[in-house]
Amino acid sequence: MKITIVGSGTAAWVSAFVLSYTTKHKITVIENEEIPPIGVGEGSTNVFAELITGAYFPTDVNINDFIEALDCTPKLAIDFKGWTKNDYYSPVDGTPTAAKLKDSLFLEALAKDKTKYHIASSNGYNIEHNKLTADTFGAFHFDTTKVASFLRPHCQSKGVKVINGLVENVIFNNVGGFRGDIKTLVLNNKEKIDTDFVIDATGFHRAILKHLNYRWIDYVNHLPMNRAIPFRLNYDDLSVDEFSKLKAATTAQAMSSGWLWNIPTTKRLGCGYVFSDEFLNDSEAQEEINTFYGREIETFKPIGFRSGRLAEQLIKNCLAVGLAGAFAEPLQATSIHTTIIQIISFAQSYCMHPLDQKMRDKFNNEMASLYDDTRDFLVLHYANNRTDTKFWKMISEHKHLTPLVKDMIEYSKKAVPNFSTMRMCFGHVDHQLWNWTLAGLGYLTPELARKELENYTGGFSLERQLDQYKALARDKLTFQQYIKRKNLGEKLKGLEESLANALEVNESHQRLNGKLQERLTEVEDENKMLHNHADKRIDAARKAGM
């Protein structure tokens, strides 16, 4: 089967990576290198690391090369600041007892301190103490602009063909006078690419989908954010105090009409203010950013979006991935997560031609469930009670809450969610992540945790677990030390390259000098010979009486 992937960003190349490593299909990527990917810094879930390191299928990617090339830093948690009375962490991992009958370590930590329950997990403990242990690369912060350049050669080594261009038109098969599947893609240079299947990874542009009759399902009644202003901050521009407060976490700082993300890579911070333009315009948002940092911040062009998803991700012989198929909002790094889950699910059972309607419907239903459950999880974060601005006052009325979020809040008044509470399907948000947020917002209380522990003997001790975490973290790097070491390593690498170049030049000069010296010696010998020959001629002439 000839599969054509259209797009230049992370979704396109992740799709190419998965399909080229798991199928024998002929894959072509049509990208336009002049179109930059959306994003200035990106967070991920554990799924991205698992994909790269071969958890789902064998890969030949060296994880250290990946970390180096994409300026990765560990992502241990999300730090929610200002969303509720107490700031809280949402670690990216669960506790060692998360899959037990009761998550006793989480319960014990919550019963002990409602602001420090996150220390029950390894990542939560490390983020609390600003430590990076050897196992903390479960999730990444990375530079999304470098994904394509890293994955492209790996995909090409598997036979992926790359064409630089833009799709201008789509030609369909004619089936009894009706429009059938996509047959050909027409590029801006009028080149025609015949195909059996197309993956649209062109983001909000939807270069292929716009030729199809798709239906959009809005999330706007539940997730009101619709605009973002991204920007970058260099570490050199941070004050000593600002740099000292950084941790291996994505910061989600509540603002007047939304929230501001802060994602640390090894080279810089990727940041952005995501907000509702019903309460704030672009210039006001810019002003709020400047006020927050206490200086003028240079920002990129604002990005507008509409939260929601396609009613069907798979239409005819076209699959929408990434932003082309769905987008809720930047919170919790769900976009890349769902993209990876979607393309892996597609490769597992649905990457065949032709695909019958029952299988098509099953795939679309699975993806609808994945995106809707993800939406519900994000909506939970807005089930707070801030009322200090018009935006947060609107949010505090809780009219935007979905039925599942309402049910989970009610459930949390009587019991702590566990592994049997949630729908446990591949890639869906499990009870561990829900519980971090439910506790952070105050719905899961120390009193409820103590009640759940009253008659339970789980065989785990929080004190012993913390001792283990402490032992593992001893003498490990802080986040600041990690950044400095990485950047020092880059500088040393640059110096080593400069030294190697200088040595090569010096060696070249020495070789040249050696050759020159040899030639000078040869010239001197030749001069001596000429001189001797001239002397002999003169002597001969004298003897002849000349």
Side-chain angles (χ1 to χ4, degrees):
M1 181 165 67
K2 291 182 289 187
I3 298 176
T4 307
I5 301 170
V6 185
S8 308
T10 301
W13 284 105
V14 164
S15 298
F17 181 74
V18 171
L19 295 179
S20 64
Y21 274 75
T22 60
T23 76
K24 296 179 181 179
H25 299 306
K26 296 179 180 179
I27 299 168
T28 299
V29 175
I30 300 174
E31 66 170 355
N32 190 300
E33 297 178 352
E34 296 177 2
I35 301 177
I38 294 177
V40 290
E42 195 70 76
S44 70
T45 65
N46 295 357
V47 167
F48 200 7
E50 291 168 356
L51 173 71
I52 294 299
T53 54
Y56 305 112
F57 52 85
T59 74
D60 54 3
V61 179
N62 183 304
I63 189 62
N64 292 320
D65 291 342
F66 177 87
I67 290 169
E68 192 77 19
L70 272 67
D71 301 335
C72 294
T73 63
K75 176 186 173 183
L76 307 187
I78 299 179
D79 184 4
F80 288 92
K81 293 183 176 295
W83 290 66
T84 187
K85 184 178 179 181
N86 297 310
D87 296 342
Y88 69 95
Y89 286 112
S90 175
V92 299
D93 64 339
T95 77
T97 56
K100 304 299 182 185
L101 188 69
K102 288 184 183 291
D103 192 352
S104 58
L105 291 176
F106 168 74
L107 294 173
E108 195 175 342
L110 178 58
K112 186 177 180 180
D113 188 340
K114 66 180 181 180
T115 66
K116 294 288 192 293
Y117 55 85
H118 54 272
I119 63 172
S121 85
S122 174
N123 285 344
Y125 179 90
N126 287 327
I127 201 68
E128 176 67 24
H129 295 89
N130 191 18
K131 290 290 185 178
L132 301 177
T133 59
D135 61 348
T136 52
F137 262 106
F140 300 103
H141 298 119
F142 61 96
D143 188 337
T144 189
T145 64
K146 298 183 177 182
V147 174
S149 59
F150 181 82
L151 292 182
R152 187 185 293 109
H154 288 279
C155 295
Q156 289 176 309
S157 72
K158 293 294 183 179
V160 173
K161 180 181 179 181
V162 182
I163 298 174
N164 187 30
L166 289 171
V167 175
E168 281 194 344
N169 200 9
V170 173
I171 299 173
F172 294 86
N173 285 315
N174 189 315
V175 182
F178 294 94
R179 194 165 69 170
D181 285 346
I182 296 171
K183 180 177 69 172
T184 304
L185 302 178
V186 183
L187 305 187
N188 54 333
N189 63 359
K190 306 310 175 186
E191 180 182 359
K192 293 183 178 180
I193 309 296
D194 292 332
T195 188
D196 298 313
F197 193 89
V198 184
I199 294 177
D200 189 339
T202 59
F204 298 140
H205 180 54
R206 301 188 177 97
I208 309 302
L209 286 163
K210 67 184 181 182
H211 298 278
L212 299 169
N213 185 26
Y214 69 83
R215 184 166 61 90
W216 184 256
I217 294 178
D218 267 328
Y219 288 166
V220 293
N221 289 333
H222 305 293
L223 293 169
M225 306 302 183
N226 60 5
R227 205 153 179 80
I229 298 179
F231 56 96
R232 292 171 178 156
L233 296 176
N234 294 320
Y235 287 125
D236 291 342
D237 297 332
L238 301 183
S239 67
V240 174
D241 183 59
E242 286 173 327
F243 184 73
S244 68
K245 290 179 180 178
L246 293 177
K247 290 187 177 182
T250 296
T251 300
Q253 172 68 55
M255 303 288 276
S256 73
S257 302
W259 60 279
L260 188 149
W261 76 79
N262 185 314
I263 295 174
T265 67
T266 57
K267 300 291 178 59
R268 58 176 177 248
L269 296 173
C271 312
Y273 185 3
V274 57
F275 58 95
S276 169
D277 66 7
E278 182 182 345
F279 299 89
L280 203 68
N281 61 38
D282 291 348
S283 60
E284 291 169 334
Q286 176 72 57
E287 185 178 348
E288 189 175 357
I289 292 170
N290 295 341
T291 300
F292 180 79
Y293 285 100
R295 58 187 182 275
E296 188 75 23
I297 300 297
E298 183 179 351
T299 59
F300 295 107
K301 182 180 178 181
I303 301 168
F305 62 90
R306 190 175 183 87
S307 61
R309 65 169 174 84
L310 296 177
E312 296 176 321
Q313 302 295 317
L314 182 56
I315 305 173
K316 293 184 179 292
N317 60 334
C318 178
L319 173 65
V321 297
L323 301 179
F327 185 66
E329 67 149 274
L331 197 62
Q332 288 279 6
T334 58
S335 183
I336 289 179
H337 173 89
T338 49
T339 296
I340 293 171
I341 298 302
Q342 182 180 8
I343 198 64
I344 288 176
S345 298
F346 178 74
Q348 274 184 313
S349 305
Y350 305 98
C351 190
M352 59 187 75
H353 184 72
L355 190 64
D356 68 41
Q357 193 59 45
K358 281 190 176 181
M359 291 294 283
R360 185 187 303 274
D361 291 344
K362 181 172 172 55
F363 177 80
N364 281 327
N365 289 337
E366 287 177 359
M367 293 305 104
S369 174
L370 171 68
Y371 284 114
D372 288 350
D373 283 1
T374 301
R375 171 207 61 193
D376 291 341
F377 175 57
L378 297 183
V379 169
L380 171 66
H381 296 76
Y382 294 94
N384 57 3
N385 295 297
R386 276 190 60 165
T387 58
D388 55 317
T389 67
K390 290 181 179 180
F391 170 80
W392 289 110
K393 187 174 181 179
M394 180 272 289
I395 291 294
S396 71
E397 295 172 358
H398 293 181
K399 293 178 181 179
H400 63 291
L401 301 185
T402 63
L404 178 59
V405 172
K406 292 177 182 178
D407 288 346
M408 290 298 293
I409 289 173
E410 284 300 311
Y411 184 96
S412 298
K413 293 178 181 178
K414 305 175 183 66
V416 175
N418 53 62
F419 63 80
S420 65
T421 309
M422 311 300 299
R423 177 164 35 189
M424 297 294 287
C425 299
F426 177 53
H428 287 240
V429 183
D430 60 25
H431 69 287
Q432 304 169 66
L433 294 183
W434 277 79
N435 284 350
W436 296 132
T437 303
L438 285 165
L441 295 174
Y443 291 110
L444 292 178
T445 64
E447 293 75 21
L448 179 61
R450 286 191 284 268
K451 182 180 177 182
E452 291 238 348
L453 288 170
E454 277 179 3
N455 298 305
Y456 180 68
T457 55
F460 286 82
S461 163
L462 178 64
E463 185 177 353
R464 286 198 300 271
Q465 191 64 51
L466 294 181
D467 286 342
Q468 290 182 27
Y469 292 155
K470 184 177 181 179
L472 289 171
R474 189 176 292 117
D475 300 326
K476 300 300 182 183
L477 297 178
T478 66
F479 185 71
Q480 286 72 18
Q481 289 170 334
Y482 176 85
I483 293 296
K484 289 177 180 178
R485 180 171 293 188
K486 278 289 181 182
N487 287 314
L488 179 60
E490 285 288 319
K491 291 178 180 178
L492 288 174
K493 185 178 178 181
L495 289 173
E496 288 173 355
E497 290 176 353
S498 298
L499 179 60
N501 291 334
L503 290 172
E504 186 177 345
V505 170
N506 183 53
E507 185 178 345
S508 177
H509 285 169
Q510 287 180 345
R511 287 196 299 268
L512 181 60
N513 286 337
K515 290 180 179 179
L516 287 172
Q517 188 61 49
E518 289 176 4
R519 183 58 184 149
L520 285 172
T521 302
E522 291 173 354
V523 169
E524 288 177 355
D525 290 342
E526 290 172 356
N527 286 337
K528 288 178 180 178
M529 291 174 63
L530 288 171
H531 183 74
N532 291 335
H533 182 69
D535 286 346
K536 290 178 180 179
R537 293 287 297 272
I538 293 170
D539 287 343
R542 286 175 178 168
K543 289 177 179 178
M546 294 175 65

Short mmCIF file of all heavy atoms in Angstrom, two decimals, residues 225 253-260 273-276 279-280 284-285 288 386 388-393 395:
data_model
loop_
_atom_site.label_atom_id
_atom_site.label_comp_id
_atom_site.label_asym_id
_atom_site.label_seq_id
_atom_site.Cartn_x
_atom_site.Cartn_y
_atom_site.Cartn_z
N MET A 225 -10.65 28.13 26.47
CA MET A 225 -9.44 28.73 25.93
C MET A 225 -9.46 28.66 24.40
O MET A 225 -9.84 27.65 23.82
CB MET A 225 -8.20 28.00 26.43
CG MET A 225 -8.12 27.88 27.93
SD MET A 225 -8.16 29.50 28.72
CE MET A 225 -7.96 29.01 30.42
N GLN A 253 1.12 28.43 35.34
CA GLN A 253 0.87 29.58 36.21
C GLN A 253 -0.48 30.22 35.86
O GLN A 253 -0.68 30.68 34.74
CB GLN A 253 1.98 30.61 36.05
CG GLN A 253 1.75 31.93 36.75
CD GLN A 253 1.78 31.80 38.24
OE1 GLN A 253 2.77 31.31 38.80
NE2 GLN A 253 0.73 32.26 38.92
N ALA A 254 -1.41 30.21 36.80
CA ALA A 254 -2.71 30.84 36.55
C ALA A 254 -2.53 32.33 36.35
O ALA A 254 -1.78 32.99 37.06
CB ALA A 254 -3.65 30.57 37.72
N MET A 255 -3.24 32.86 35.35
CA MET A 255 -3.21 34.28 35.03
C MET A 255 -4.63 34.82 35.11
O MET A 255 -5.56 34.11 35.51
CB MET A 255 -2.61 34.49 33.64
CG MET A 255 -1.21 33.91 33.47
SD MET A 255 0.07 34.82 34.34
CE MET A 255 0.42 36.12 33.16
N SER A 256 -4.84 36.05 34.71
CA SER A 256 -6.16 36.67 34.88
C SER A 256 -7.25 36.00 34.05
O SER A 256 -8.40 35.90 34.47
CB SER A 256 -6.10 38.16 34.52
OG SER A 256 -6.00 38.34 33.11
N SER A 257 -6.89 35.51 32.85
CA SER A 257 -7.89 34.95 31.94
C SER A 257 -7.44 33.63 31.33
O SER A 257 -7.82 33.27 30.22
CB SER A 257 -8.21 35.95 30.84
OG SER A 257 -8.67 37.17 31.37
N GLY A 258 -6.62 32.91 32.06
CA GLY A 258 -6.12 31.63 31.59
C GLY A 258 -4.89 31.23 32.38
O GLY A 258 -4.83 31.42 33.59
N TRP A 259 -3.90 30.71 31.67
CA TRP A 259 -2.69 30.30 32.37
C TRP A 259 -1.48 30.41 31.45
O TRP A 259 -1.60 30.45 30.23
CB TRP A 259 -2.84 28.89 32.91
CG TRP A 259 -3.10 27.83 31.87
CD1 TRP A 259 -4.29 27.53 31.28
CD2 TRP A 259 -2.13 26.96 31.26
NE1 TRP A 259 -4.14 26.52 30.36
CE2 TRP A 259 -2.82 26.15 30.33
CE3 TRP A 259 -0.77 26.77 31.43
CZ2 TRP A 259 -2.18 25.18 29.56
CZ3 TRP A 259 -0.12 25.80 30.66
CH2 TRP A 259 -0.84 25.01 29.74
N LEU A 260 -0.30 30.45 32.06
CA LEU A 260 0.95 30.63 31.34
C LEU A 260 1.81 29.38 31.54
O LEU A 260 2.03 28.94 32.66
CB LEU A 260 1.67 31.86 31.86
CG LEU A 260 2.92 32.34 31.13
CD1 LEU A 260 3.03 33.87 31.24
CD2 LEU A 260 4.19 31.71 31.71
N TYR A 273 1.21 32.14 26.89
CA TYR A 273 0.01 32.49 27.65
C TYR A 273 -1.18 32.00 26.84
O TYR A 273 -1.42 32.46 25.72
CB TYR A 273 -0.04 34.00 27.86
CG TYR A 273 -1.17 34.52 28.73
CD1 TYR A 273 -2.09 33.67 29.38
CD2 TYR A 273 -1.34 35.89 28.93
CE1 TYR A 273 -3.11 34.16 30.18
CE2 TYR A 273 -2.36 36.40 29.73
CZ TYR A 273 -3.24 35.52 30.35
OH TYR A 273 -4.26 36.03 31.15
N VAL A 274 -1.93 31.04 27.39
CA VAL A 274 -3.13 30.55 26.73
C VAL A 274 -4.33 31.13 27.47
O VAL A 274 -4.40 31.08 28.70
CB VAL A 274 -3.17 29.00 26.69
CG1 VAL A 274 -3.07 28.39 28.07
CG2 VAL A 274 -4.42 28.50 25.98
N PHE A 275 -5.27 31.72 26.71
CA PHE A 275 -6.33 32.48 27.36
C PHE A 275 -7.61 32.46 26.53
O PHE A 275 -7.63 31.96 25.39
CB PHE A 275 -5.89 33.92 27.61
CG PHE A 275 -5.48 34.67 26.36
CD1 PHE A 275 -6.37 35.49 25.69
CD2 PHE A 275 -4.18 34.58 25.87
CE1 PHE A 275 -6.00 36.18 24.53
CE2 PHE A 275 -3.79 35.26 24.73
CZ PHE A 275 -4.70 36.07 24.06
N SER A 276 -8.66 33.01 27.09
CA SER A 276 -9.93 33.16 26.39
C SER A 276 -10.06 34.60 25.91
O SER A 276 -10.01 35.53 26.73
CB SER A 276 -11.10 32.82 27.32
OG SER A 276 -12.33 33.21 26.75
N PHE A 279 -12.37 37.41 27.35
CA PHE A 279 -12.04 38.21 28.52
C PHE A 279 -10.77 39.04 28.35
O PHE A 279 -10.47 39.90 29.18
CB PHE A 279 -11.86 37.29 29.74
CG PHE A 279 -13.09 36.51 30.10
CD1 PHE A 279 -13.33 35.26 29.52
CD2 PHE A 279 -14.03 37.02 30.98
CE1 PHE A 279 -14.47 34.53 29.85
CE2 PHE A 279 -15.17 36.30 31.31
CZ PHE A 279 -15.40 35.07 30.74
N LEU A 280 -10.02 38.78 27.28
CA LEU A 280 -8.73 39.43 27.12
C LEU A 280 -8.38 39.50 25.64
O LEU A 280 -8.57 38.53 24.90
CB LEU A 280 -7.67 38.60 27.86
CG LEU A 280 -6.37 39.27 28.31
CD1 LEU A 280 -6.65 40.26 29.43
CD2 LEU A 280 -5.37 38.22 28.78
N GLU A 284 -3.73 43.23 25.63
CA GLU A 284 -3.88 43.11 27.09
C GLU A 284 -3.12 41.89 27.61
O GLU A 284 -2.52 41.93 28.69
CB GLU A 284 -5.36 43.00 27.46
CG GLU A 284 -6.14 44.30 27.23
CD GLU A 284 -7.65 44.11 27.35
OE1 GLU A 284 -8.12 42.96 27.12
OE2 GLU A 284 -8.35 45.09 27.67
N ALA A 285 -3.15 40.81 26.84
CA ALA A 285 -2.41 39.61 27.22
C ALA A 285 -0.91 39.89 27.22
O ALA A 285 -0.18 39.47 28.13
CB ALA A 285 -2.74 38.46 26.29
N GLU A 288 -0.01 41.82 30.22
CA GLU A 288 -0.01 40.99 31.43
C GLU A 288 1.26 40.14 31.51
O GLU A 288 1.82 39.93 32.58
CB GLU A 288 -1.25 40.10 31.47
CG GLU A 288 -1.41 39.38 32.81
CD GLU A 288 -2.71 38.60 32.89
OE1 GLU A 288 -3.53 38.65 31.96
OE2 GLU A 288 -2.91 37.93 33.94
N ARG A 386 -11.70 29.87 42.16
CA ARG A 386 -11.18 31.24 42.12
C ARG A 386 -12.27 32.18 41.61
O ARG A 386 -13.02 31.85 40.68
CB ARG A 386 -9.98 31.32 41.17
CG ARG A 386 -8.67 30.93 41.79
CD ARG A 386 -7.50 31.27 40.87
NE ARG A 386 -7.42 32.70 40.56
CZ ARG A 386 -6.34 33.27 40.01
NH1 ARG A 386 -5.27 32.55 39.74
NH2 ARG A 386 -6.33 34.57 39.75
N ASP A 388 -11.44 35.87 41.56
CA ASP A 388 -10.82 37.19 41.62
C ASP A 388 -10.82 37.94 40.30
O ASP A 388 -10.51 39.13 40.27
CB ASP A 388 -9.39 37.08 42.16
CG ASP A 388 -8.55 36.11 41.35
OD1 ASP A 388 -9.07 35.03 41.00
OD2 ASP A 388 -7.38 36.42 41.06
N THR A 389 -11.16 37.28 39.19
CA THR A 389 -11.29 37.97 37.90
C THR A 389 -12.58 37.50 37.24
O THR A 389 -13.19 36.51 37.66
CB THR A 389 -10.11 37.66 36.95
OG1 THR A 389 -10.15 36.28 36.57
CG2 THR A 389 -8.77 37.97 37.62
N LYS A 390 -12.99 38.19 36.19
CA LYS A 390 -14.22 37.81 35.49
C LYS A 390 -14.12 36.40 34.91
O LYS A 390 -15.08 35.63 34.95
CB LYS A 390 -14.52 38.82 34.37
CG LYS A 390 -14.93 40.20 34.87
CD LYS A 390 -15.23 41.12 33.70
CE LYS A 390 -15.68 42.49 34.19
NZ LYS A 390 -15.97 43.42 33.06
N PHE A 391 -12.94 36.09 34.39
CA PHE A 391 -12.74 34.75 33.83
C PHE A 391 -12.90 33.68 34.91
O PHE A 391 -13.67 32.72 34.74
CB PHE A 391 -11.36 34.65 33.19
CG PHE A 391 -10.97 33.25 32.80
CD1 PHE A 391 -11.45 32.68 31.63
CD2 PHE A 391 -10.12 32.49 33.61
CE1 PHE A 391 -11.10 31.38 31.27
CE2 PHE A 391 -9.76 31.20 33.25
CZ PHE A 391 -10.26 30.64 32.08
N TRP A 392 -12.18 33.82 36.00
CA TRP A 392 -12.22 32.80 37.03
C TRP A 392 -13.57 32.76 37.75
O TRP A 392 -14.00 31.70 38.22
CB TRP A 392 -11.08 33.00 38.03
CG TRP A 392 -9.74 32.68 37.43
CD1 TRP A 392 -8.74 33.55 37.11
CD2 TRP A 392 -9.27 31.38 37.04
NE1 TRP A 392 -7.67 32.89 36.55
CE2 TRP A 392 -7.96 31.56 36.50
CE3 TRP A 392 -9.81 30.10 37.09
CZ2 TRP A 392 -7.20 30.49 36.01
CZ3 TRP A 392 -9.06 29.03 36.61
CH2 TRP A 392 -7.78 29.23 36.08
N LYS A 393 -14.25 33.89 37.80
CA LYS A 393 -15.59 33.88 38.37
C LYS A 393 -16.52 33.04 37.50
O LYS A 393 -17.35 32.27 38.01
CB LYS A 393 -16.12 35.31 38.50
CG LYS A 393 -17.46 35.40 39.23
CD LYS A 393 -17.87 36.85 39.46
CE LYS A 393 -19.19 36.90 40.23
NZ LYS A 393 -19.61 38.31 40.49
N ILE A 395 -15.55 30.59 35.57
CA ILE A 395 -15.12 29.21 35.76
C ILE A 395 -15.68 28.64 37.07
O ILE A 395 -16.09 27.47 37.13
CB ILE A 395 -13.57 29.13 35.76
CG1 ILE A 395 -13.03 29.42 34.36
CG2 ILE A 395 -13.09 27.77 36.25
CD1 ILE A 395 -13.39 28.40 33.31
#
